Amino acid sequence: MSRSYPQMTEATLLLGNISAEHVSQQHVTPPTLNDDEYIATLSTSSPGAPGYVVGRRVQGKAYDRIVMNYGPADKPWQRTWQLDADRGARVNYQILDDTSSTGFATAER
């Protein structure tokens, strides 16, 4: 089932930037969330558990996309997740692109 979101332009796209360290701390108990924060569940394109990070709402809105740069410092890879479902304190993101991975396919549910 395809979800409908308002049309995004580069001027209105809301990005959250994270580091691999943020994702590696997924098993640490998160601090108490502020009113403008939420738990972002980041899907994975390969077998394994999803990642979790704390997101911050901007004017009440969750990030449209979350971007993580990782890998070699001279030419880092980039993983991008796109907003899938906003459930208040829990927001789900689906993998949109991973520049280090080739040969896999993602499918919408």
Side-chain angles (χ1 to χ4, degrees):
M1 178 175 179
S2 187
R3 288 173 175 74
S4 176
Y5 293 103
Q7 183 176 2
M8 279 186 275
T9 65
E10 193 163 331
T12 62
L13 182 66
L14 186 59
L15 292 179
N17 290 297
I18 60 170
S19 69
E21 183 178 304
H22 287 125
V23 176
S24 69
Q25 295 174 0
Q26 66 184 337
H27 300 293
V28 176
T29 303
T32 302
L33 297 178
N34 294 324
D35 289 342
D36 64 343
E37 294 178 322
Y38 61 91
I39 300 295
T41 303
L42 309 174
S43 70
T44 179
S45 57
S46 58
Y52 302 94
V53 294
V54 175
R56 184 170 309 250
R57 293 184 182 277
V58 177
Q59 298 178 344
K61 185 179 175 199
Y63 305 134
D64 296 311
R65 293 189 182 152
I66 294 178
V67 178
M68 177 177 70
N69 292 313
Y70 66 101
D74 59 332
K75 190 174 179 188
W77 300 307
Q78 188 174 72
R79 186 171 288 171
T80 304
W81 292 268
Q82 183 164 304
L83 179 65
D84 181 54
D86 186 344
R87 296 182 179 96
R90 294 194 60 95
V91 180
N92 293 340
Y93 291 85
Q94 293 297 319
I95 191 80
L96 179 67
D97 186 48
D98 187 344
T99 60
S100 74
S101 298
T102 58
F104 69 85
T106 59
E108 288 191 29
R109 293 184 222 183

